[in-house]
Amino acid sequence: PAILDVLKQHGVKATFFMIGKDSSYNAITKRVHDEGHTVAIHSNTHNYRYIYQSVDTYFKDLYELRARLKTITGEDANIIRFPGGSSNTVSKFQPGIMSTLTTEVMRRGFHYFDWNIDSGDTGRIGSDAIVKNVTSSLGNESTYVVLMHDYAANQQTADALDRIITYGKQNGYQFDRITAGTKPIHHGVNN
């Protein structure tokens, strides 16, 4: 909610790649949708060993979350982010799975996105470091996708977000949510 409050205060739309393992967040998911942000798919279980054991288990996980999100938003989500990104090596126990999945998700009508700026907010760093990680990585690319995390104990991201948006606006950057028409940001696939 703190992140949604900052976004609302600045009139900025964002994309939330959802994890489905906890239905207590259904009200927040509805708020994300109702406030005009993109509700996207990350993973139902976020269990790498399960998700990446086969194409079938990956899509079982994806479609379970997609169905749940549809009951909340009334819409089919078609934007995804692979757990670990498309360049992950956590799937190396299943050789070639990411090469297959990156092609198969698009064949099935999904659009996957990676990131080209990592805020570093999953580590034990403060909001000043998050702001620096993001703002020092900006340049003249036409599209940036910034990786941030909104889990409950991550107050440092909520604290940094106001300053990141303010900096971006003061320096001519525009903010928007990801849609199917957004220029894709893809990593090089390592598996």
Side-chain angles (χ1 to χ4, degrees), residues 122-149:
T122 58
R124 296 196 182 277
I125 65 172
S127 60
D128 290 343
I130 294 168
V131 171
K132 183 179 179 188
N133 287 346
V134 174
T135 59
S136 68
S137 298
L138 295 169
N140 350 342
E141 294 293 325
S142 62
T143 302
Y144 288 101
V145 174
V146 179
L147 177 65
M148 301 181 95
H149 297 82

